């Protein structure tokens, strides 16, 4: 493995805490990653808008206390158009100039996405409405493996092209474990005329058993060689060492193929993400102390 030039862009995804303990964990994660100089931090949005207020609160604290660029996630699930766009304005008021615009998953207990009678029909309409406001950098999702609701891989490319035509600025992919999966997807997107930046989404594996279950739900492929490798680990230390090595090699391969930015799904745990970034040569700078209200 050839370690690449460390001058690659970084961004991190966090999810809003639902308890006091989770809150401490999220802020500890941010403290552990802010010294890596991320270009932005994104905050997720629970299924059916279940973490709407928590997401807005986290966005505000990150923007105000840490001075970071923040991207708030926004979905179409369980809300009217007016309610959804109000969340976007609340994000803007809290200091977020970027939005990750998503259709969103079905709420708990439902098997399929159903648009609210007065809501957006999906991500395309949401992107168009956000773009019309002309105040956000709009990021969208892309899928190197076939999305569970897509007929085939070609449909995913068509949808991504439509998102950019609707006004999106860039895309972040679902996670994957082999560089070729992303590179083939990037080639197909370019062949289809897509010129916007597509940023690979990276998932350092914290728990392989849970990762396999989640991958099955969202359509991400888990290669047999990786399953065997994790199955052969004898301890948590071995598991984490393997995770760091595999993820570092994946990222290094991507950077050597011209990828300029990496987006990490941190699962609110800084350890593996930080280890990977440092293994790639990214130095850690002392974080600026958070402002005290």
């Amino acid at each position: 493995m050839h370690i690449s030039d460390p001058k690659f862009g970084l961004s991190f995804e966090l999810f809003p805490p639902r308890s006091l303990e989770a809150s401490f964990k999220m802020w500890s994660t941010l403290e552990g990653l802010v010294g890596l100089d991320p270009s932005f931090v994104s905050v997720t949005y629970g299924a059916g808008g279940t973490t709407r207020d928590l997401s807005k609160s986290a966005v505000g604290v990150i923007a105000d206390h840490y001075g970071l660029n923040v991207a708030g996630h926004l979905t179409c699930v369980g809300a009217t158009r007016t309610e959804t766009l109000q969340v976007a304005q609340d994000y803007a008021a809290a200091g977020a100039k970027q939005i990750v615009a998503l259709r969103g998953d079905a709420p708990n207990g439902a098997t399929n996405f159903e648009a609210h009678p007065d809501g957006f029909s999906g991500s395309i309409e949401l992107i168009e409405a956000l773009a019309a406001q002309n105040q956000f950098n709009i990021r969208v999702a892309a899928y190197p493996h076939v999305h569970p609701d897509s007929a085939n891989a070609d449909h995913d490319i068509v949808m991504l092209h439509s998102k950019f035509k609707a006004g999106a600025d860039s895309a972040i992919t679902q996670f994957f474990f082999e560089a070729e999966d992303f590179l083939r997807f990037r080639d197909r997107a370019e062949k289809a005329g897509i010129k916007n930046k597509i940023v690979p989404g990276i998932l350092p594996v914290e728990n392989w058993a849970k990762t396999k279950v989640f991958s099955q739900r969202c359509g991400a492929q888990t290669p047999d060689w990786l399953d065997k490798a994790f199955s052969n680990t004898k301890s948590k230390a071995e598991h984490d060492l393997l995770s760091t090595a595999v993820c570092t090699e994946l990222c290094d391969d991507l950077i050597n193929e011209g990828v300029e930015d990496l987006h990490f799904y941190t699962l609110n745990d800084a350890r593996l993400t930080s280890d990977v970034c440092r293994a790639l040569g990214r130095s850690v700078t002392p974080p600026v102390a958070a402002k005290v209200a």
Side-chain angles (χ1 to χ4, degrees):
M1 180 176 65
H2 167 69
I3 295 300
S4 309
D5 186 329
K7 296 178 182 177
F8 50 87
L10 276 178
S11 55
F12 304 120
E13 180 186 282
L14 303 172
F15 56 83
R18 295 173 180 262
S19 67
L20 182 60
E21 181 181 0
S23 181
F24 284 129
K25 184 176 181 181
M26 190 194 80
W27 298 120
S28 176
T29 298
L30 187 58
E31 290 282 351
L33 297 174
V34 67
L36 291 165
D37 191 27
S39 57
F40 72 94
V41 174
S42 70
V43 180
T44 65
Y45 195 72
T50 52
T51 65
R52 183 178 298 141
D53 292 337
L54 295 172
S55 298
K56 288 187 292 186
S57 176
V59 163
V61 173
I62 293 171
D64 183 43
H65 289 249
Y66 290 90
L68 294 172
N69 292 321
V70 190
H73 285 220
L74 187 61
T75 75
C76 308
V77 180
T80 67
R81 292 169 180 252
T82 300
E83 289 168 341
T84 301
L85 293 179
Q86 183 58 55
V87 174
Q89 291 306 310
D90 291 342
Y91 279 151
K97 304 305 180 186
Q98 304 185 42
I99 284 181
V100 180
L102 308 163
R103 186 201 69 179
D105 297 325
N108 290 335
T111 55
N112 299 304
F113 169 82
E114 289 188 14
H116 188 285
D118 297 317
F120 293 108
S121 64
S123 59
I124 305 300
E125 283 193 356
L126 174 60
I127 294 161
E128 289 173 341
L130 291 172
Q133 297 185 351
N134 197 32
Q135 64 180 129
F136 299 105
N137 179 291
I138 304 170
R139 302 179 185 273
V140 295
Y143 300 92
H145 304 136
V146 179
H147 187 281
D149 292 344
S150 288
N152 50 50
D154 290 337
H155 181 258
D156 283 330
I157 294 292
V158 170
M159 283 296 297
L160 182 58
H161 207 319
S162 297
K163 292 175 184 180
F164 285 130
K165 288 175 65 177
D169 297 289
S170 63
I172 302 170
T173 74
Q174 176 63 275
F175 63 86
F176 53 93
F177 298 107
E178 296 182 300
E180 282 300 316
D181 293 346
F182 174 82
L183 298 174
R184 284 194 294 266
F185 179 78
R186 185 180 66 177
D187 289 345
R188 287 170 42 233
E190 290 177 355
K191 187 176 180 180
I194 294 174
K195 302 183 184 303
N196 301 68
K197 179 175 285 189
I198 303 174
V199 179
I202 307 297
L203 178 68
V205 177
E206 182 182 17
N207 182 305
W208 179 243
K210 290 181 179 179
T211 298
K212 285 199 299 181
V213 172
F214 181 68
S215 296
Q216 290 176 346
R217 292 208 317 262
C218 66
Q221 296 176 12
T222 53
D224 290 340
W225 66 265
L226 190 58
D227 188 33
K228 291 177 182 176
F230 275 111
S231 297
N232 287 331
T233 58
K234 301 293 192 297
S235 65
K236 177 61 174 171
E238 285 187 11
H239 179 287
D240 288 353
L241 185 62
L242 173 63
S243 179
T244 301
V246 167
C247 192
T248 301
E249 184 167 8
L250 170 63
C251 293
D252 190 64
D253 288 345
L254 292 171
I255 293 169
N256 287 323
E257 289 290 341
V259 168
E260 299 176 342
D261 301 279
L262 302 171
H263 183 74
F264 283 84
Y265 299 111
T266 71
L267 302 181
N268 285 13
D269 189 335
R271 297 174 304 112
L272 294 177
T273 295
S274 180
D275 287 347
V276 170
C277 291
R278 285 181 293 183
L280 290 168
R282 190 61 165 260
S283 60
V284 180
T285 58
V288 177
K291 294 188 296 182
V292 178

